[in-house]
Amino acid sequence: MEPRLLRYFVAVAEELHLARAAERLGIEQSPVSRAMRDLERLLGVSLFDRSARQTRLTWAGQVLLGEARRVLATVDQAVQATKAAAQGYQSYLRIAICDSLAQPRIASLLARSREEEPELGIRVFDLPFSRQLKGLHDDLLDVGFALSDAVNGGLIAEPAWSDPLSVIVPTRHPLLAHAQVKLEDALKFPLVLCHPDAASGCHDQIQALLDGAAITPKIADHVTSLGVMLTLVGAGYGIGFAIGAQVQTWQRPDIAIRPLAGITPTLTTYLLRRQSEPSEPMKRFLQRARRLFRPQGDVHAP
């Protein structure tokens, strides 16, 4: 089976539309359609249910989509590892980050790694929490950074750092009259929150804060990414909670950031990895991360 067939299939399976898949692949529609017929004939199964008004994947197609993504990721990593070796990198790490993390912290860690160990190649992937777990299990990732510690068998989640939670509001909003916003004042306005089904950890941590509030929040909408949350907040649908340092990197003129008053709640980022003995480059990376993100005054941290 040619990798080309799998790449075409992933595009069609994700778009569920031949024209959009062809546009995404940068080719004409007819070769994509022919490739899907060839793939089904090669496997002897139907990958798409074409009886409905909208094309859908069969169960066999859903299984192949997961496996095709894994195979293509493995091939891509093999190519990148080979190129890295040719460029002088002696080893490499595959690191995943999720959407809502404080990117400046990640950048500091990567810069320190490059400075202290220039022979170490690092590849960074932007993946949601669920795909990080699968990538770690399938040995397609070495490290994950996410806002959840709900890992399953064979994986470890250790707190990496915590960031203060801020209130995100539209420009020209009443809360901007305050340098710091009390939680009870923020909850007088509709909220745009992380979607619970996204299983990102962001929802659980913020929900724990809301559960302890005296005011029952009014939910305007749930979203699956920070970018969508900022768009809805900027449009005036409601206000949100996020890591201020991360929101600042978006440089959006339609939103503003205010810290929460009192004892500021935080969002904790976790470092995810396999439970097995880490490689030597991995050990050095973990030590570097612990040194960089060690709380001030913590002389007992390893």
Side-chain angles (χ1 to χ4, degrees):
M1 183 182 297
E2 301 177 36
R4 172 185 61 87
L5 290 180
L6 293 181
R7 293 189 188 279
Y8 286 11
F9 169 72
V10 169
V12 176
E14 291 179 347
E15 298 292 342
L16 291 177
H17 193 282
L18 280 173
R20 289 197 299 266
E23 182 178 0
R24 170 173 153 182
L25 293 165
I27 60 177
E28 296 294 327
Q29 181 175 329
S30 57
V32 179
S33 178
R34 185 166 56 251
M36 293 305 95
R37 293 195 301 270
D38 292 344
L39 185 58
E40 288 181 319
R41 186 164 51 250
L42 178 64
L43 295 174
V45 300
S46 295
L47 300 172
F48 301 94
D49 180 3
R50 302 175 178 87
S51 60
R53 294 179 60 184
Q54 182 181 4
T55 300
R56 296 180 180 178
L57 287 173
T58 62
W59 171 241
Q62 294 178 43
V63 171
L64 179 61
L65 177 58
E67 293 300 321
R69 285 169 172 162
R70 182 178 61 82
V71 169
L72 292 174
T74 302
V75 171
D76 181 59
Q77 288 187 10
V79 171
Q80 296 301 324
T82 303
K83 291 182 176 179
Q87 294 170 4
Y89 292 112
Q90 297 177 10
S91 55
Y92 70 101
L93 293 178
R94 302 155 299 178
I95 300 172
I97 59 177
C98 75
D99 173 67
S100 301
L101 296 188
Q103 308 293 356
R105 289 186 182 268
I106 297 289
S108 297
L109 176 57
L110 297 181
R112 182 71 62 85
S113 295
R114 185 173 183 179
E115 176 184 341
E116 295 181 358
E117 201 169 355
E119 70 279 6
L120 175 65
I122 292 181
R123 297 199 66 206
V124 180
F125 305 87
D126 184 4
L127 295 174
F129 178 66
S130 60
R131 290 188 62 188
Q132 289 192 28
L133 296 184
K134 182 168 178 54
L136 288 166
H137 275 299
D138 292 345
D139 195 24
L140 297 175
L141 294 172
D142 299 298
V143 182
F145 287 99
L147 293 171
S148 176
D149 62 348
V151 297
N152 40 29
L155 300 181
I156 297 174
E158 59 181 75
W161 67 78
S162 294
D163 293 287
L165 199 61
S166 297
V167 182
I168 316 300
V169 300
T171 53
R172 299 184 299 276
H173 192 276
L175 289 177
L176 293 178
H178 307 284
Q180 295 184 328
V181 176
K182 295 180 180 179
L183 180 60
E184 55 266 31
D185 290 336
L187 296 185
K188 295 175 183 177
F189 298 91
L191 303 180
V192 180
L193 299 177
C194 305
H195 201 292
D197 292 342
S200 64
C202 175
H203 170 269
D204 294 341
Q205 293 194 52
I206 292 178
Q207 190 60 49
L209 169 68
L210 300 180
D211 289 341
I215 300 176
T216 301
K218 300 183 289 290
I219 311 301
D221 207 344
H222 286 99
V223 296
T224 57
S225 71
L226 178 62
V228 175
M229 187 268 277
L230 297 182
T231 296
L232 294 183
V233 169
Y237 282 78
I239 67 172
F241 297 101
I243 299 169
Q246 169 65 350
V247 175
Q248 286 175 344
T249 63
W250 290 71
Q251 298 181 335
R252 295 188 57 138
D254 55 345
I255 58 174
I257 304 169
R258 285 292 185 270
L260 285 165
I263 301 176
T264 306
T266 59
L267 284 184
T268 299
T269 295
Y270 296 90
L271 186 152
L272 317 176
R273 62 183 179 90
R274 285 183 294 279
Q275 203 165 12
S276 57
E277 180 68 16
S279 64
E280 289 303 317
M282 179 73 164
K283 287 180 180 178
R284 294 191 292 271
F285 181 84
L286 294 174
Q287 292 169 354
R288 193 174 298 123
R290 290 163 183 157
R291 288 198 312 268
L292 186 60
F293 304 129
R294 177 189 302 168
Q296 293 184 358
D298 184 359
V299 297
H300 301 293

